[in-house]
Amino acid sequence: MEKGCIAIVGAGKGGLDFLKMLLKIPDINIKYVCDVDDEAPGMLYAGEHGLDCVKDYSAIVDDKEVTLIFEATGQYAIYQDLSRRKQANTSLVGSYGTKVIYSFIDSYDEMNQKLSSYKLHLEKRIIERTEELEQANVELYKEKEVCKKLYLKEQKISEEKTKYLLHATHQLKAPFAAIQSYADVILSGYTGEVSEKTREIVEKIAHRSELLTNVINEMLELAKLKTIDGAVFEEFDILQIANEVIDYFSVVAESRNIKLNLICAQEQIMKVCNKNQINALFSILIENALNYSPEHTEVDMMLYVTETGKLHIEVTDQGIGIPEQNLDKIFNEYFRSNNAVDFMPNGTGLGLAIAHEICRLHNAKLSVTSKVGEGTTFKIDF
């Protein structure tokens, strides 16, 4: 026996609209459409769709397959009669309930139409946006190629500049070394007695030549690091290199009444590196710490290996510190903060740039924290 058969009693305009709506719903089984008028629009529509059309609802109330009756006449007497005569298992929905259901289904249908319209609009926008993104990707690729060419051109210019710098500084190194040698000869008295005034001038010449020679050496070192190709990296004990640097600067520290400490819990820290570069890196950081620290302070160099096996190094002083606005410039070539110049006029501004370049070559990160008047900490993370 079929289940869920439906009958509609009343096939006027309201019944027709309700019938059309029910026919749109999948798996709905409408068995009867009833109206006293054969020409009622609902009766004609039902006949076109192969439904049983009856003028008397007696067959409907006697049919046990009918489980739901919609009364769409709007006549209360018919509703009462159907209610009295229907089968016990048959549900009856009056004209008011039918209107409510119709209204709900109509709203649902309207919502579906709006959703379909929105879906079509959304699909259209997606297609448009996809086309825009494809065009943007094409433009981005073109810009990327332009940037790549500019980068390669800039890199070539930078290499040429570095080569020129190397050549120029090499050319300058010998004359300044000669000037310094001649000044030393004069000051030593090999050219005869030197007056006090002349000695004072020649000493200034010798001092300035020495400073300029240091600048040239640091410029050469930085240029060499930037053009380095195939540097030798071997496994060395980093702690041993640190000890060598601390021993080298201990005399300088003592002469300035600064306590120089090496802090490390390990007895050995093996690391693949370029020994000379790491020695230079440690030397720059320790020398900087000593140069910008007042007497009766301490400089600490701390090394330890993290739980993940990474090497961490800190060099901390109690010196003049670096102004906050200068922290992002401190590794730039030739940059020196005003308080550093005031504390120590004779500096090149190249040491930290060299240290930064050495860290880059070792895939290490060099960072700094500082507070003016309290000190500075340089951190290296391999």
Side-chain angles (χ1 to χ4, degrees), residues 22-276:
L22 289 177
L23 287 173
K24 292 179 182 178
I25 303 173
D27 301 324
I28 292 293
N29 183 13
I30 302 172
K31 190 170 184 179
Y32 298 103
V33 176
C34 175
D35 200 284
V36 294
D37 183 4
D38 288 334
E39 299 298 318
M43 294 288 276
L44 296 174
Y45 192 80
E48 292 172 2
H49 286 78
L51 303 177
D52 288 342
C53 298
V54 295
K55 296 180 69 175
D56 183 2
Y57 53 74
S58 296
I60 296 173
V61 295
D62 292 336
D63 192 338
K64 293 182 179 180
E65 293 182 357
V66 176
T67 56
L68 179 60
I69 300 172
F70 288 105
E71 186 275 305
T73 66
Q75 298 179 35
Y76 185 66
I78 293 177
Y79 176 79
Q80 283 186 315
D81 191 43
L82 285 169
S83 181
R84 185 176 62 255
R85 294 172 59 187
K86 71 178 182 63
Q87 299 292 322
N89 67 325
T90 302
S91 300
L92 174 64
V93 179
S95 58
Y96 183 74
T98 301
K99 286 179 181 178
V100 171
I101 294 172
Y102 175 81
S103 177
F104 174 76
I105 296 175
D106 188 48
S107 298
Y108 178 77
D109 190 50
E110 184 182 354
M111 183 176 68
N112 274 340
Q113 289 178 0
K114 287 182 178 179
L115 284 173
S116 296
S117 176
Y118 179 74
K119 180 182 177 184
L120 289 172
H121 176 72
L122 187 61
E123 287 174 351
K124 183 181 177 183
R125 289 294 299 147
I126 289 172
I127 291 170
E128 290 174 355
R129 290 298 296 153
T130 302
E131 290 174 352
E132 289 173 6
L133 286 171
E134 287 175 352
Q135 183 61 33
N137 281 335
V138 171
E139 295 298 324
L140 187 63
Y141 178 77
K142 290 179 181 177
E143 290 180 10
K144 180 183 174 183
E145 289 300 305
V146 171
C147 289
K148 184 179 178 181
K149 289 178 182 178
L150 288 173
Y151 171 75
L152 292 173
K153 187 176 181 181
E154 184 182 356
Q155 194 175 38
K156 187 175 181 181
I157 292 171
S158 178
E159 288 173 358
E160 292 298 323
K161 184 184 77 172
T162 303
K163 287 178 183 177
Y164 175 78
L165 178 64
L166 277 168
H167 179 73
T169 47
H170 269 297
Q171 295 296 316
L172 287 170
K173 190 174 181 179
F176 278 112
I179 291 170
Q180 193 171 3
S181 296
Y182 288 139
D184 290 340
V185 168
I186 293 170
L187 291 172
S188 299
Y190 286 108
T191 59
E193 190 175 343
V194 181
S195 67
E196 198 63 35
K197 187 67 176 176
T198 302
R199 177 175 290 278
E200 184 180 337
I201 293 170
V202 175
E203 282 177 349
K204 287 181 179 179
I205 292 171
H207 180 63
R208 297 303 293 176
S209 296
E210 183 181 0
L211 289 177
L212 287 169
T213 300
N214 289 338
V215 172
I216 289 168
N217 287 335
E218 289 191 346
M219 287 171 68
L220 286 169
E221 180 63 26
L222 184 58
K224 184 174 72 175
L225 287 171
K226 287 186 175 182
T227 57
I228 199 162
D229 185 23
V232 177
F233 282 73
E234 297 178 309
E235 191 173 43
F236 288 99
D237 183 1
I238 295 290
L239 184 56
Q240 183 183 341
I241 299 173
N243 269 308
E244 291 173 1
V245 172
I246 293 295
D247 287 343
Y248 179 81
F249 283 100
S250 60
V251 176
V252 178
E254 287 175 11
S255 69
R256 297 179 186 176
N257 293 315
I258 297 173
K259 189 177 179 182
L260 187 55
N261 306 309
L262 179 61
I263 305 166
C264 184
Q266 283 95 346
E267 294 183 359
Q268 189 180 58
I269 302 175
M270 301 305 294
K271 187 77 180 172
V272 174
C273 64
N274 181 282
K275 183 179 180 181
N276 291 336

Side-chain angles (χ1 to χ4, degrees), residues 282-345:
F282 291 171
S283 296
I284 290 167
L285 296 180
I286 294 297
E287 187 173 16
N288 257 23
L290 294 173
N291 285 341
Y292 296 106
S293 293
E295 290 188 351
H296 308 296
T297 57
E298 295 188 17
V299 172
D300 295 329
M301 184 176 189
M302 180 172 63
L303 299 87
Y304 65 85
V305 177
T306 66
E307 292 179 357
T308 57
K310 295 180 180 180
L311 174 59
H312 180 83
I313 299 169
E314 291 185 10
V315 175
T316 303
D317 63 54
Q318 301 167 350
I320 62 172
I322 304 165
E324 186 177 354
Q325 66 269 22
N326 296 149
L327 288 174
D328 60 340
K329 306 171 189 173
I330 203 70
F331 300 117
N332 294 349
E333 296 173 24
Y334 305 107
F335 178 81
R336 298 186 73 209
S337 58
N338 291 334
N339 65 333
V341 174
D342 292 339
F343 191 83
M344 184 181 177

